[in-house]
Amino acid sequence: MNKSLYTIAVAVGSLFMATDVNAQNLLPKPQSFKAGKGYFSTSNPTVKIVNEAGTDAENIYTRSWHQSNSASAKQTIKFTKLQNASSPEAYRLHITADSIVVSAASADAFRYAWQTIGQLKTKQGIMACDIDDAPAYKWRSIMLDVSRHFEPISFIKKQIDVMAQYKFNRLHLHLTDAAGWRIEIKRYPLLTRMAAWRPERTWKEWSNNGAKYTMEGSADAHGGYYTQDELRELVAYAAERGITIVPEIEMPGHSAEVMAAYPELSCTHKPYEQMDFCAGSVATYDFLENVLKEVMDIFPSKYIHVGGDEAAKQSWGDCPLCQRKMKELGCDKDGLQANLIAHFGRFLNSYGRQLVGWDEVIAGNLARNTTVMVWRGLEKAHEAIEHGYDVVLSPGAYCYLDAYQDAPLSQPEAIGGYLPLEKVYSYVPGEDLPEAERKMITGIQGNLWAEYIPTPEHMEYMLYPRALAIAEVGWNGTEHKNYADFRRRAIAQCDLLRHQGVNTFDIRREKGERPESVKPTKHKALGCKVIYNRPYSKQYVAGGDQSLVDGIRGGWTYGDKKWQGFIGKDYCLDVTLDLGSQQNLSSVSADFMQAYGAWVFFPEAFKVSVSNDGKNFNEVYSTTSTVDKSIQSGYRTLAWKGHSKARYVRVQGNTIMDGGWLFIDEIVVK
Ligand code: ACM
């Protein structure tokens, strides 16, 4: 230890980034914080540096500080190795008016300590305090989807800078998908000469125009890719900031762009016919091994993500090679996928790397060193833990940052859903798992899918402040949750981020949840008997048989368990309310929503009928409307108003969209 002890004096003015965020705004919140007396002044020209921690600490101050020869320093900053640390990322700070002692377990931990010191800076100096800190989860990450919309390296570096500020330690890059292949692979040049370019700038236009590709350099080419040199430089940039880049190469699904460039890798050998690799062909395994070799050469990360999600597997059933392989293995299509993933797990292991995949990969017989990213239900986490895999939680309901973060109609177009800051923050990873399993969770990740995010500014808008909630839960854990306190700190941090040129959503102007859903609605049919002439979908039961008369109205998203879902032809919505006795009626109304990205539509036809015997109905209202596909997100009340006397009320809704959904939250009778 002593051989690395040395003392230098440095110009203190440049020591700390000019955050001026009050110490009460630390984010993520440290595990333990005790305020001290006074401030460590940053207005003195020099401080003495004592480094007892060697290069681990050197990385911090040599990058940030200018050395000075002045010997008159009155203040000291001392770096020491944290002994018996609870985690390699643990650090301690002891700050008084005269000195700062930084104790940390590793180079990364010194970085975290340094970020905290930056956040402790006020106009008077660095706030005196004692901090004892370590992360709740060892994997804290953000996924950026640069396939759906390509973003320049400068944008990714900017996000790495922000992520480092909030103690993230992984950046997952979704580098390949149907909308564009984004990584130079020298052996397969068409991946970036063709599959990285499309005639339309936005994913939406591209998708609506038949999802075709074009050639690099052609007049209509939009998109791009990263060269291997650029990626190597990016990896080094991230590593200097304590962030490991985890590259994702999708297989066997989400690969239409590969099938367009190299159709011989598909079952039919024809472009634009399937999204999936042929899983029975030797060519597929050769190709993916060769790609992964180049990927491993660029990315030193122990973790290599192979996707694995949502393969359609459609062409596999008719493909002689896939059929032969399934016969050989004695398995079905799912088994064929599992076998493919297991193959690449072994392949990565043979190079000292470890496979990461979306939760579909659980099906494979994989090595225990696999990491599963759970994006569907918690049961997937349970399964993964049972297999002994590491689990990173990234469930759609809490971590999909592509959903609307505020009232949809007040926001730029998004894919749908509603995921406000408070909901992200409320996430308790593995809440319903047994304690022993919850302890096994490795980390959490926020996913920014980019289908509806065509610009870098918009990406930042969707990321912040919600990524800060991921950072807080990932670092501080969930035992000391206090949303009001977090929100206040997030506002302060967003002010700082905007000052740094980051385009954040302004949480101060948040409109919040759909007003109708905030308090119960009173009406004549509350609690009455409901007869379902057609069943509601088992996927979207909401409150079950009483849902439409429970007074509980839906919020901005059909996924909030307050909207009941119906699907099918010929009036899939068809319910009769039995009010128990004849009543004077003046209106029957119901709200519907449209979420085009999720194939949810306003009814094309809507009818209200009344009856006194429950058999012979008299139609009192009927309306039709054409389907307007340009409405990405909308809410509509359909209502009969008039005068009638009846015991039974029948409500019917129809959609002509094939496989389309109707969602309704309540039938309000007055
Ligand atoms: C995913 O959302 N398909 C991982």
Side-chain angles (χ1 to χ4, degrees):
M1 181 65 58
N2 269 348
K3 69 181 186 318
S4 63
L5 185 153
Y6 57 98
T7 302
I8 55 168
V10 297
V12 78
S14 60
L15 291 193
F16 304 104
M17 58 178 189
T19 64
D20 211 4
V21 172
N22 185 288
Q24 301 309 318
N25 295 328
L26 288 174
L27 198 159
K29 202 180 176 72
Q31 302 298 348
S32 153
F33 174 88
K34 253 193 249 128
K37 281 209 177 73
Y39 296 87
F40 181 94
S41 169
T42 48
S43 59
N44 291 332
T46 60
V47 296
K48 193 161 86 177
I49 300 287
V50 180
N51 182 11
E52 296 176 355
T55 49
D56 281 356
E58 243 168 72
N59 289 337
I60 302 304
Y61 66 82
T62 52
R63 232 166 30 91
S64 319
W65 300 353
H66 299 301
Q67 297 187 25
S68 148
N69 291 325
S70 168
S72 60
K74 292 198 174 58
Q75 294 170 290
T76 305
I77 304 181
K78 184 167 152 180
F79 297 92
T80 66
K81 182 94 180 160
L82 181 63
Q83 305 299 336
N84 306 318
S86 60
S87 136
E89 296 183 295
Y91 71 92
R92 269 187 210 154
L93 290 173
H94 177 61
I95 303 175
T96 65
D98 304 323
S99 73
I100 297 179
V101 180
V102 185
S103 312
S106 66
D108 285 337
F110 276 108
R111 275 192 205 90
Y112 302 136
W114 194 248
Q115 293 297 346
T116 301
I117 291 173
Q119 289 188 5
L120 286 166
K121 198 186 171 212
T122 70
K123 285 195 176 71
Q124 295 109 298
I126 297 160
M127 197 178 167
C129 64
D130 280 285
I131 286 177
D132 193 347
D133 204 9
Y137 297 98
K138 62 184 179 199
W139 182 306
R140 305 174 302 280
S141 60
I142 293 293
M143 186 212 75
L144 296 179
D145 167 10
V146 289
S147 170
R148 272 54 177 262
H149 287 99
F150 178 71
E151 300 296 348
I153 288 277
S154 58
F155 169 82
I156 302 179
K157 285 185 177 172
K158 190 177 168 194
Q159 307 323 305
I160 287 170
D161 287 341
V162 175
M163 287 171 67
Q165 248 166 263
Y166 301 104
K167 302 185 174 74
F168 282 102
N169 61 359
R170 309 255 188 275
L171 169 62
H172 166 185
L173 287 181
H174 187 71
L175 288 166
T176 72
D177 210 306
W181 180 281
R182 306 300 182 199
I183 168 174
E184 177 190 24
I185 300 296
K186 302 219 191 255
R187 187 163 178 145
Y188 302 108
L190 276 183
L191 291 172
T192 44
R193 283 189 57 209
M194 178 192 183
W197 305 93
R198 61 191 190 215
E200 297 82 7
R201 190 180 68 81
T202 68
W203 178 89
K204 190 177 178 185
E205 292 167 300
W206 171 78
S207 177
N208 287 339
N209 285 350
K212 296 290 196 288
Y213 308 92
T214 186
M215 293 304 284
E216 180 174 23
S218 58
D220 63 349
H222 291 89
Y225 61 90
Y226 309 114
T227 66
Q228 297 199 350
D229 286 346
E230 284 175 323
L231 288 169
R232 285 196 180 89
E233 209 241 324
L234 185 72
V235 164
Y237 186 90
E240 273 178 32
R241 287 154 184 81
I243 291 175
T244 300
I245 299 187
V246 179
E248 180 185 356
I249 304 296
E250 274 274 16
M251 65 183 77
H254 280 276
S255 299
E257 85 290 17
V258 181
M259 300 313 125
Y262 294 99
E264 63 272 25
L265 299 173
S266 69
C267 291
T268 64
H269 291 202
K270 295 197 186 103
Y272 300 114
E273 284 200 350
Q274 57 255 293
M275 305 278 285
D276 305 337
F277 284 90
C278 171
S281 155
V282 174
T284 290
Y285 295 81
D286 285 349
F287 171 89
L288 286 169
E289 285 186 5
N290 289 330
V291 166
L292 287 177
K293 277 185 205 160
E294 293 194 33
V295 167
M296 287 188 283
D297 199 47
I298 300 165
F299 295 95
S301 167
K302 184 160 76 173
Y303 307 100
I304 305 288
H305 202 307
V306 301
D309 58 319
E310 298 183 305
K313 308 176 189 124
Q314 221 161 2
S315 55
W316 295 0
D318 303 322
C319 165
L321 294 180
C322 288
Q323 281 173 341
R324 194 176 66 191
K325 186 131 191 165
M326 285 189 271
K327 210 164 154 197
E328 217 176 270
L329 297 166
C331 70
D332 59 5
K333 289 189 204 175
D334 292 339
L336 187 56
Q337 151 137 354
N339 182 265
L340 180 143
I341 297 292
H343 172 91
F344 288 102
R346 289 190 298 272
F347 177 76
L348 291 170
N349 283 172
S350 75
Y351 284 82
R353 308 301 181 95
Q354 301 178 5
L355 182 140
V356 185
W358 299 110
D359 58 41
E360 284 90 337
V361 304
I362 295 171
N365 184 19
L366 303 170
R368 285 173 71 97
N369 66 22
T370 298
T371 299
V372 175
M373 282 190 174
V374 173
W375 67 283
R376 298 179 293 178
L378 204 53
E379 71 281 1
K380 296 292 164 195
H382 169 73
E383 277 178 53
I385 289 168
E386 280 200 323
H387 281 85
Y389 306 149
D390 279 354
V391 171
V392 174
L393 292 174
S394 186
Y398 294 93
C399 298
Y400 271 41
L401 307 182
D402 54 338
Y404 285 102
Q405 63 191 313
D406 198 0
L409 302 181
S410 72
Q411 293 301 299
E413 183 179 40
I415 197 161
Y418 174 58
L419 181 58
L421 180 65
E422 183 165 9
K423 176 134 191 223
V424 182
Y425 177 78
S426 76
Y427 185 43
V428 177
E431 186 169 22
D432 299 326
L433 291 177
E435 172 76 14
E437 290 189 12
R438 215 182 317 146
K439 283 199 183 126
M440 308 285 286
I441 292 164
T442 307
I444 78 165
Q445 172 169 293
N447 289 335
L448 191 60
W449 301 105
E451 284 92 336
Y452 289 89
I453 313 184
T455 67
E457 295 76 27
H458 192 182
M459 276 217 160
E460 291 180 350
Y461 181 86
M462 300 302 272
L463 279 171
Y464 312 111
R466 289 183 294 181
L468 304 188
I470 302 281
E472 174 91 355
V473 173
W475 184 277
N476 189 255
T478 58
E479 279 167 32
H480 312 288
K481 276 187 194 286
N482 176 338
Y483 180 64
D485 177 65
F486 169 75
R487 182 177 179 277
R488 185 182 54 69
R489 288 180 287 123
I491 286 172
Q493 293 296 335
C494 281
D495 287 346
L496 168 67
L497 286 172
R498 277 194 296 278
H499 188 69
Q500 293 172 0
V502 177
N503 181 40
T504 79
F505 170 70
D506 187 354
I507 193 74
R508 285 188 187 90
R509 298 194 185 171
E510 185 181 26
K511 291 184 168 42
E513 183 52 290
R514 184 170 178 250
E516 291 86 339
S517 73
V518 173
K519 59 179 193 324
T521 299
K522 289 208 172 89
H523 60 91
K524 266 192 173 142
L526 270 189
C528 81
K529 186 173 170 206
V530 183
I531 301 143
Y532 283 88
N533 305 310
R534 300 280 304 271
Y536 48 83
S537 159
K538 288 199 174 74
Q539 263 178 284
Y540 296 98
V541 304
D545 289 354
Q546 288 301 109
S547 194
L548 299 181
V549 291
D550 61 4
I552 297 172
R553 309 293 300 279
W556 293 125
T557 175
Y558 60 84
D560 67 1
K561 300 193 166 87
K562 295 175 179 172
W563 290 90
Q564 198 163 58
F566 296 84
I567 187 166
K569 291 189 188 336
D570 305 326
Y571 290 91
C572 59
L573 167 66
D574 187 348
V575 294
T576 303
L577 309 186
D578 177 358
L579 302 175
S581 61
Q582 219 180 55
Q583 310 251 351
N584 284 317
L585 304 177
S586 63
S587 80
V588 174
S589 68
D591 284 3
F592 295 88
M593 72 157 68
Q594 183 153 317
Y596 182 73
W599 217 239
V600 177
F601 296 96
F602 293 137
E604 156 274 332
F606 174 77
K607 294 195 277 200
V608 179
S609 316
V610 296
S611 164
N612 279 315
D613 60 8
K615 291 189 188 92
N616 302 299
F617 280 85
N618 176 27
E619 186 175 298
V620 291
Y621 185 71
S622 163
T623 184
T624 60
S625 72
T626 53
V627 176
D628 183 348
K629 293 185 187 173
S630 73
I631 300 174
Q632 176 70 13
S633 182
Y635 304 84
R636 183 175 284 174
T637 304
L638 297 176
W640 161 75
K641 285 188 168 59
H643 293 287
S644 189
K645 219 171 166 159
R647 172 172 167 177
Y648 297 92
V649 175
R650 184 176 181 188
V651 171
Q652 293 166 279
N654 190 45
T655 177
I656 53 169
M657 299 305 290
D658 213 13
W661 289 91
L662 293 185
F663 277 90
I664 172 175
D665 59 345
E666 186 82 2
I667 296 171
V668 178
V669 177
K670 292 194 167 151

